[in-house]
Amino acid sequence: MQWQTKLPLIAILRGITPLEVQAHVSALLDAGFDAVEIPLNSPQWQQSIASMVTEFGDKALIGAGTVLKTEQVDELAAMGSKLMVTPNTQPEVIRRAVANGMTVCAGCATASEAFSALDAGAQTLKIFPSSAFGPDYIKALKAVLPPEVPVFAVGGVTPENLHIWLQAGCAGAGLGSDLYRAGQPVSRTSERAKAFVKAYQEAVQ
């Protein structure tokens, strides 16, 4: 199993609106990002995701986060979403997304949850909230997981500490409020995105 994009960093645009989404996603792609998650607790997420899939679906893995129900997966599949990120381990939701050809990054915290997600077909795992568990926890968890499964740290990852998560065995990270906060200007998104790309490149040299 391999992460599907060149840069294993998922931009999480929680709270983004349809009016501003295009400018922010453009800024992210210009900085080098190629995976974008719009959580379903964002305003009018259907509009934002559908328009970004249409506009950038050939250049980046575009999809949804905070997906909790199979009905939401069906709605996402209908609009061509290719990425599904969950906050929890819900085998039914994972199976439905995999059946629809999506890349699934399943949220988990324990070995039991991680293996349940993998059994359901998840290709990638996210340890959430990573900052609460710490890199040593992830390192220990990685010891029992299949080595080829990409593990992402989500929660509390910054450009300054990204290298610590990568050293712990993470393939990459999901980036929330340290990359994007609802209402921030596009210039801020661009600046933060560049800082994360630089931090990743320096960490893997």
Side-chain angles (χ1 to χ4, degrees), residues 130-205:
S130 292
S131 54
F133 293 103
D136 288 344
Y137 179 85
I138 291 181
K139 203 179 284 184
L141 190 59
K142 282 276 298 173
V144 298
L145 293 173
E148 71 277 9
V149 175
V151 172
F152 279 56
V154 181
V157 181
T158 67
E160 294 72 32
N161 69 25
L162 177 60
H163 68 282
I164 296 169
W165 301 104
L166 298 175
Q167 285 164 5
C170 291
L175 312 169
S177 57
D178 280 288
L179 173 67
Y180 174 81
R181 288 175 192 266
Q184 76 181 23
V186 176
S187 57
R188 173 75 178 161
T189 302
S190 179
E191 179 191 308
R192 296 305 290 164
K194 287 171 185 167
F196 272 110
V197 171
K198 184 168 181 271
Y200 177 79
Q201 289 168 341
E202 287 173 355
V204 299
Q205 272 176 359

Side-chain angles (χ1 to χ4, degrees), residues 64-80:
T66 319
V67 181
L68 301 170
K69 299 174 181 172
T70 53
E71 297 85 347
Q72 293 169 334
V73 177
D74 293 340
E75 212 172 335
L76 290 164
M79 58 180 75

Side-chain angles (χ1 to χ4, degrees), residues 85-104:
V85 185
T86 69
N88 60 348
T89 309
Q90 179 55 267
E92 271 177 58
V93 171
I94 294 167
R95 277 194 285 270
R96 184 72 64 92
V98 171
N100 278 292
M102 293 183 201
T103 295
V104 175

Side-chain angles (χ1 to χ4, degrees), residues 10-11 13 25 28-29 33-38 60-64 83:
I10 303 171
L13 301 180
V25 174
L28 289 165
L29 268 57
F33 275 74
D34 50 8
V36 178
E37 163 196 339
I38 297 170
L61 197 61
I62 307 273
L83 173 66

Side-chain angles (χ1 to χ4, degrees), residues 3 14 19-20 41 60 68 87 105 111 114 122 135 166 171 173 184 202 205:
W3 178 245
R14 190 177 305 282
L19 285 175
E20 59 190 345
N41 52 4
L68 301 170
C105 188
L166 298 175
Q184 76 181 23
E202 287 173 355
Q205 272 176 359

